[in-house]
Amino acid sequence: MRSIAIGKTFAASALALAVSFGAHAVTDQDLLNDHQTIDSVVTYGMGYQGQRYSPMKTLNTNNVKYLQPAWAFSFGGEKQRGQESQPLIKDGVMYVTGSYSRMWAVDARTGQELWQYDARLPDGIMPCCDVINRGAAIYGDKVYFGTLDAKLVALNKDTGKVVWIKKVADYQEGYAITAAPIVVNGKLITGVSGGEFGIVGKVEAYDANTGDLVWTRPTVEGHMGYVYKDGKKIENGISGGEAGKTWPGDMWKTGGAATWLGGTYDPETDTLFFGTGNPAPWNAHLRPGDNLYSASRVAIDPNDGSIKWHFQTTPNDGWDYDGVNELISFDLKEKGKTIKAAATADRNGFFYVLNREDGSFIRGFPFVDTISWATGLDPKTGRPIFKEGGRPGNPADADGEKGETVVAYPAFLGGKNWMPMAYSPDTELFYVPSNEWSMDIWNEPVSYKKGAAYLGAGFTIKPANDDFIGVLRAMDPKTGKEVWRQNNPAPLWGGVMTTAGGLVFTGTPEGFLKAFDAKTGKELWKFNTGSGVVGTPVTWEMDGEQFVSVASGWGGAVPLWGGEVARVVKDFNQGGMVWTFKLPKDRVAGK
């Protein structure tokens, strides 16, 4: 049975429902207003800036204990694995992606399937970190998502029929797409995965209506950007101005810097923010230099793909700390001024606050308990102060054998990985899903081969504590202080949402969706979904009631790459469901 509704509900045919629900196109204004709108969720991040904050107060700290299941929808079949999606909701229809590059439209009132689309994936796809998909974009009469064979798919949002499919990159070289794309001013914008295969990261914009390529911007120094007009390819400047300034020899040609988490957008400055992944290979001794624009946040002009500024968190990254984590725009109020700021919690263990207009460093501080690779950040530039002996050894010093092993905190899966944090303008706090773990890491000789793993390193991940790995933290961007924390036995791998009702929601690998008091961190409610929650919750209003939805299905990178940590979660069950909860009307007052 595909869906389970609480109570007995009968519906018309899927086609009739799709037609009746699909009357309204999604406009540019809908996207711009998503962070203020309560009856829909039409962007990944619940708003362009990615704050994952809802202005709804119906569900609050007094009545959240009455939140109850409304329906559950199964992704079905044997294609389970990790479910990292964030649902979208428009006109009573939920759009949700699943593992193996699938998408569904679901009646948001009953959980009944309206349509399903399965990408025809070829043999030989090479996703590094499970067959996941994190979500879709919606615009006009279409809904879009990326696939594991590095394609963009546009579907009619009311019928699920294919409108167009575009190849973004060659999956046989190691490329894939796992992140939700973003639509800005009629352009569908995507990044790419594949940094472990020596690909070249890039951000590309396509005409959302036709699928025609509009511009492309490589994120490794030395590669040419292009705009496309009237079918013609026009040079638009080399990323970084020239090749090889911060890379030795020709290594920039296989430099990695994958844009695998997608981006956010700030309408106030008309700027896209994309993070870039690890440089390739992991063995940093083979590529002395900063290796731009790897492990960076890059500000991009959405009109032509030009780079406005960049901020690099881990120059010459030797630990696979990446730099892809979301950059969230917010207004920083201090000393009587309001600064257009942006914040990110990096895999390297540091939290950064930047000026989003020019990328200048405002402050940075640790958000995890232990950092071993750096002693701190330069207070003026934010550049890390590398700790002597903190980098794994050079194999060349060991006659080409395995280099010296070091113990590094955090592990390469990061103080925070892909799972998005949230920001509340009410509390002025960021809610960060984080993990406490270490790794033994060493370097090995390696050479590039197209389509093959390009690491040059080995590792073993270990828990940093006996009784917990995951930590949900409330961080103050003004002081760098941890305001509260909630420890979790297993690693946290799902996203966070916060609301004007004073709540913070996130899920756990143990299967729970939980709600916490945004000010104190007190746990107020939980529900076991039957499988690990590594998706990101959303909330919206429908028929006068507030709903909360989250995808449930254990998987992702932890069971694949987690070493000793993987043994902590080895008995967790896979799954594939969307759970939807509501606060009944008679419980709004909390009685």
Side-chain angles (χ1 to χ4, degrees):
M1 190 172 180
R2 177 51 61 87
S3 63
I4 302 170
I6 305 305
K8 196 171 183 180
T9 303
F10 296 93
S13 70
L15 180 60
L17 280 169
V19 172
S20 66
F21 283 133
H24 301 100
V26 177
T27 66
D28 291 307
Q29 203 61 41
D30 289 334
L31 300 178
L32 285 167
N33 293 337
D34 194 38
H35 64 296
Q36 299 172 330
T37 305
I38 63 173
D39 62 356
S40 63
V41 178
V42 293
T43 59
Y44 184 82
M46 297 173 59
Y48 267 141
Q49 296 180 328
Q51 293 184 358
R52 300 187 177 276
Y53 167 83
S54 170
M56 294 186 67
K57 298 180 180 180
T58 304
L59 183 65
N60 55 55
T61 55
N62 294 321
N63 59 26
V64 68
K65 61 186 176 182
Y66 299 115
L67 191 64
Q68 63 185 36
W71 53 261
F73 173 80
S74 171
F75 294 155
E78 298 178 357
K79 295 180 178 179
Q80 296 190 34
R81 305 286 289 270
Q83 310 297 344
E84 294 186 358
S85 182
Q86 179 222 288
L88 301 176
I89 298 94
K90 175 65 175 174
D91 296 330
V93 177
M94 175 183 292
Y95 303 90
V96 60
T97 61
S99 57
Y100 293 96
S101 303
R102 296 174 292 163
M103 184 188 289
W104 294 264
V106 180
D107 183 342
R109 289 178 170 84
T110 66
Q112 178 176 329
E113 179 182 306
L114 303 180
W115 54 255
Q116 178 179 344
Y117 174 83
D118 286 26
R120 295 180 179 178
L121 296 174
D123 294 334
I125 56 172
M126 294 180 282
C128 85
C129 307
D130 207 359
V131 288
I132 57 91
N133 187 282
R134 297 188 176 94
I138 187 169
Y139 185 68
D141 62 353
K142 301 176 187 66
V143 62
Y144 313 84
F145 78 121
T147 66
L148 291 168
D149 58 345
K151 294 176 181 176
L152 283 176
V153 178
L155 306 172
N156 181 285
K157 71 180 179 67
D158 304 326
T159 67
K161 293 186 179 300
V162 174
V163 180
W164 53 257
I165 298 177
K166 296 293 180 178
K167 177 181 175 180
V168 175
D170 185 356
Y171 75 91
Q172 292 178 316
E173 294 182 12
Y175 285 96
I177 300 177
T178 55
I182 183 172
V183 177
V184 176
N185 296 328
K187 300 178 184 67
L188 181 70
I189 300 162
T190 184
V192 292
S193 301
E196 271 59 63
F197 297 94
I199 55 89
V200 173
K202 60 181 179 178
V203 179
E204 291 191 334
Y206 294 78
D207 185 297
N209 186 44
T210 66
D212 293 337
L213 186 59
V214 178
W215 55 256
T216 181
R217 172 54 53 189
T219 50
V220 176
E221 177 187 87
H223 295 267
M224 179 65 72
Y226 296 92
V227 295
Y228 296 80
K229 295 182 179 179
D230 300 323
K232 296 181 179 179
K233 183 178 180 181
I234 303 169
E235 291 186 354
N236 190 33
I238 297 173
S239 298
E242 62 183 270
K245 288 192 294 185
T246 62
W247 293 83
D250 288 340
M251 296 200 73
W252 58 278
K253 294 181 179 180
T254 52
T259 49
W260 58 265
L261 194 52
T264 56
Y265 173 66
D266 176 39
E268 293 183 3
T269 60
D270 193 24
T271 305
L272 289 164
F273 300 120
F274 270 75
T276 64
N278 58 282
W282 286 20
N283 183 348
H285 300 284
L286 294 175
R287 45 173 173 76
D290 282 358
N291 312 140
L292 292 174
Y293 290 100
S294 70
S296 300
R297 305 311 188 278
V298 182
I300 296 175
D301 186 330
N303 300 294
D304 65 1
S306 299
I307 294 177
K308 294 183 176 183
W309 55 258
H310 77 279
F311 182 87
Q312 190 172 41
T313 49
T314 314
N316 193 224
D317 180 7
W319 304 267
D320 187 39
Y321 284 149
D322 268 37
V324 298
N325 289 358
E326 70 284 355
L327 188 63
I328 297 177
S329 300
F330 73 109
D331 291 334
L332 178 63
K333 301 173 183 178
E334 56 185 16
K335 298 180 180 179
K337 297 181 179 180
T338 299
I339 302 169
K340 292 181 180 180
T344 188
D346 201 86
R347 272 167 64 170
N348 69 19
F350 288 103
F351 191 103
Y352 299 82
V353 181
L354 309 176
N355 184 309
R356 69 178 185 264
E357 295 182 284
D358 59 13
S360 57
F361 177 71
I362 296 175
R363 67 177 57 90
F365 44 84
F367 68 93
V368 294
D369 294 338
T370 306
I371 295 175
S372 67
W373 64 277
T375 59
L377 302 175
D378 183 288
K380 293 183 178 180
T381 66
R383 188 178 179 88
I385 303 168
F386 292 106
K387 183 177 180 180
E388 185 175 355
R391 187 181 294 272
N394 188 350
D397 296 336
D399 297 324
E401 300 296 328
K402 171 181 170 180
E404 182 182 359
T405 299
V406 300
V407 178
Y409 291 79
F412 79 89
L413 290 178
K416 179 181 126 22
N417 202 278
W418 79 274
M419 51 279 192
M421 63 183 181
Y423 173 75
S424 170
D426 302 323
T427 63
E428 298 183 324
L429 299 176
F430 282 89
Y431 301 99
V432 185
S434 61
N435 290 300
E436 296 291 337
W437 40 25
S438 67
M439 64 178 172
D440 295 337
I441 183 170
W442 58 90
N443 285 325
E444 302 167 345
V446 68
S447 57
Y448 173 76
K449 181 180 179 181
K450 179 180 175 180
Y454 190 39
L455 300 185
F459 50 84
T460 300
I461 297 181
K462 302 176 182 178
N465 304 282
D466 293 332
D467 54 348
F468 71 94
I469 300 173
V471 185
L472 177 64
R473 290 175 157 95
M475 301 298 300
D476 188 334
K478 298 179 182 179
T479 65
K481 301 296 184 182
E482 179 184 277
V483 177
W484 58 257
R485 68 190 285 166
Q486 279 279 358
N487 296 343
N488 193 72
L492 295 182
W493 209 252
V496 180
M497 173 185 70
T498 186
T499 76
L503 299 170
V504 174
F505 286 87
T506 197
T508 73
E510 291 88 346
F512 289 101
L513 178 64
K514 294 185 176 184
F516 303 90
D517 187 305
K519 292 182 179 179
T520 67
K522 181 182 178 181
E523 184 179 307
L524 302 175
W525 173 88
K526 66 180 179 180
F527 179 89
N528 198 308
T529 65
S531 183
V533 177
V534 294
T536 301
V538 295
T539 188
W540 78 99
E541 184 182 79
M542 185 170 59
D543 303 329
E545 296 176 301
Q546 186 169 355
F547 290 77
V548 175
S549 283
V550 72
S552 167
W554 173 238
V558 174
L560 297 176
W561 294 79
E564 292 184 19
V565 170
R567 289 198 285 271
V568 175
V569 300
K570 66 181 177 62
D571 294 326
F572 291 174
N573 292 323
Q574 290 187 342
M577 300 278 285
V578 175
W579 282 91
T580 294
F581 307 85
K582 71 175 181 178
L583 179 70
K585 292 179 181 179
D586 61 356
R587 294 295 191 180
V588 171
K591 297 180 181 178

